[in-house]
Every structure is written in structure tokens, then in C-alpha cells.
Amino acid sequence: MYLVVRNDEEQYSIWRADRELPAGWYPEGRRGSRQECLDHIDAVWTDMRPLSLRRRLAGADV
């Protein structure tokens, strides 16, 4: 059993559900098989850029 986890930069990963999460990572709410979790990440993580970069670019004059 795995969890989908996310950090403050809105980057996703999977983590075994029976292990303590590393610092800076939080459960995203999805739990399932490894493949189910990876499929969920594929569906929700549509912009691979870190949140800080997205915010910086949003404020830039382009």
C-alpha cells in the first residue's frame, strides 16, 4: 500500500504507507497500489515546475 505525497513546492511522489514520511512531505489524500498512486500523480501533476518558479514567472513581465 502506498500514499501519494506532496511537498511545499507542489511536487508529488509516492511513499510506502507503513513508513514515516520524511520531513517536508505531506499526504495528499490518495492511497492505493503503487500503480494507482502513479496514475493519480499523472492525472493531477500537470505542471512539473516547482511552485516558487511558477509564482516568479507569473509576476514577471513577459
Side-chain angles (χ1 to χ4, degrees):
M1 188 67 65
Y2 288 84
L3 302 172
V4 175
V5 295
R6 188 175 68 186
N7 65 19
D8 291 333
E9 287 287 346
E10 294 187 354
Q11 297 167 314
Y12 289 81
S13 189
I14 62 171
W15 197 255
R16 291 208 22 193
D18 62 346
R19 297 196 177 163
E20 186 175 333
L21 291 177
W25 290 89
Y26 309 95
E28 186 264 352
R30 179 61 64 117
R31 174 188 292 257
S33 70
R34 181 178 189 277
Q35 192 58 54
E36 288 170 329
C37 290
L38 291 173
D39 290 344
H40 176 71
I41 290 171
D42 282 342
V44 298
W45 195 11
T46 58
D47 190 341
M48 302 294 276
R49 298 174 300 167
L51 179 61
S52 59
L53 176 62
R54 294 192 320 258
R55 285 180 175 161
R56 191 171 5 168
L57 292 175
D61 292 324
V62 181

